[in-house]
Amino acid sequence: MSYTGPDFDDPEPRRSRRGPLTVALAALVPGALLGWAVYAVAGGGSGDGERNGGAAGEASASVSSRAPSSATAPASPSGKPSGKPSRSAEPSASAASGSVSAPAASGPLTGKVVVIDPGHNPGNFRHTAEINRQVDIGTHRKECDTTGTSTNGGYIEAKFTLDVARRMRDLLEAQGATVKLTQDGDRPFGPCIDERARIGNEAKADAVVSLHADGSGAGNRGFHVILPGAVNAGAADTRAIVGPSRELGERIAGNFVRVTGSAPSNYVGGGTGLVTRKDLGGLNLSTVPKVFIECGNMRDSKDAAQLTSGAWRQKAARGISDGIVSFLRG
């Protein structure tokens, strides 16, 4: 969804480190009962330059929740690190390959590599010609990226995704993972969707998660996780990652409900919180387990109130991270 909204503060990069709803069980197949029971006890677009809340998808019917707790890193009152990025006319070589975390702490994820893909870029709306360039996603060609959506109050998706990504990085590094961001507010636009996929592939990531918030109609609420469908066309061949990506998505969905108290989408996914799609370049071109998550609908006032809350964003980061930890620990 195109966005050309108001001015906003430049995104702030990471400083050098040292760094309810209840879900009805009857609606789910037996394989999902355990995970959704945990949810009930607990309190209960735009993206890839492509996804749209109203797009059709094949609904999955299983969500599991086996979730060890991860350490929660404290957030600042503003929810953002301090410091200002340097801005260049073109992406630097290091930016093009993604932002890599500091050496990880020892922990259960030692030796694991996680790539976090903060959807869009706060600078995209200044570079419409560049992000409108067509790239090959295997099945067809699509725009390099999009500007993303925003709340009615002007809080843009790209700022939301970058903030959650940085929070997730802290949480996952505390578990011992090596974490790489596809962008960290360190480049003027992008990267393109094909490059985002390539960063995860070249990192030989054990898991990749692309972060988004939807831009659907008011009254459409809740989160959904987008899984790759089986695609074998041109440069795209997802057949080997469909299974593990589904497991990753199920773990994330279960933990997201548990930690945030948010319900699965009421407008896609049939109440499961899972949708399968074959039209997203970020998934089609991935050779490693990867999913997208739409954390809520920015155009709904109730969801927007959550998405704009630093405390809720910390919960979102925790829920997604716990899902990744659960997936990687098996």
Side-chain angles (χ1 to χ4, degrees):
M1 182 174 293
S2 180
Y3 176 77
T4 57
D7 291 339
F8 50 85
D9 294 337
D10 285 339
E12 299 179 353
R14 183 194 203 193
R15 283 189 295 189
S16 300
R17 289 179 70 98
R18 183 32 258 154
L21 298 175
T22 305
V23 178
L25 300 179
L28 303 178
V29 297
L33 291 178
L34 177 60
W36 289 107
V38 173
Y39 308 168
V41 171
S46 44
D48 183 58
E50 315 162 88
R51 84 284 166 243
N52 209 330
E58 302 166 23
S60 160
S62 101
V63 178
S64 63
S65 173
R66 287 173 282 176
S69 295
S70 64
T72 302
S76 67
S78 66
K80 299 187 291 185
S82 62
K84 291 288 182 181
S86 59
R87 300 184 68 86
S88 58
E90 296 296 334
S92 66
S94 61
S97 60
S99 174
V100 188
S101 68
S106 177
L109 298 189
T110 299
K112 299 294 186 180
V113 176
V114 177
V115 170
I116 305 171
D117 178 27
H120 314 289
N121 182 314
N124 276 0
F125 78 92
R126 300 187 185 101
H127 296 273
T128 54
E130 291 89 344
I131 67 170
N132 285 332
R133 177 173 65 85
Q134 298 278 302
V135 297
D136 183 9
I137 67 166
T139 55
H140 56 289
R141 297 182 70 82
K142 295 191 84 164
E143 295 85 357
C144 158
D145 201 2
T146 69
T147 54
T149 189
S150 72
T151 66
N152 293 332
Y155 180 63
I156 65 172
E157 181 184 1
K159 293 190 75 172
F160 169 81
T161 63
L162 194 53
D163 181 75
V164 174
R166 289 167 175 166
R167 294 170 187 268
M168 286 177 59
R169 176 171 56 191
D170 290 343
L171 293 167
L172 291 166
E173 285 180 351
Q175 294 287 316
T178 297
V179 181
K180 186 171 198 173
L181 271 59
T182 58
Q183 58 93 7
D184 193 11
D186 50 1
R187 54 189 296 160
F189 63 89
C192 294
I193 54 179
D194 55 342
E195 183 183 349
R196 290 174 187 267
R198 188 162 58 249
I199 290 169
N201 296 344
E202 291 178 351
K204 296 180 170 55
D206 297 286
V208 183
V209 177
S210 188
L211 303 174
H212 294 275
D214 214 349
S216 188
N220 290 340
R221 296 200 61 195
F223 78 93
H224 63 279
V225 179
I226 303 174
L227 314 174
V231 174
N232 182 25
D237 187 353
T238 63
R239 293 172 294 178
I241 68 163
V242 166
S245 295
R246 173 172 290 275
E247 181 180 357
L248 172 63
E250 290 171 347
R251 301 294 183 100
I252 289 173
N255 282 278
F256 198 82
V257 170
R258 178 181 62 82
V259 177
T260 68
S262 295
S265 169
N266 64 5
Y267 59 100
V268 291
T272 67
L274 301 174
V275 175
T276 300
R277 289 178 61 173
K278 299 180 180 180
D279 62 324
L280 302 181
L283 297 179
N284 288 358
L285 298 176
S286 184
T287 59
V288 294
K290 182 174 182 178
V291 299
F292 281 41
I293 180 167
E294 300 278 5
C295 296
N297 176 21
M298 287 194 139
R299 293 298 186 176
D300 177 82
S301 60
K302 293 180 180 178
D303 272 11
Q306 295 180 327
L307 297 166
T308 54
S309 162
W312 190 88
R313 291 196 299 273
Q314 185 66 24
K315 290 180 182 180
R318 173 70 179 270
I320 299 166
S321 297
D322 279 2
I324 294 171
V325 172
S326 176
F327 170 73
L328 294 179
R329 297 190 69 178

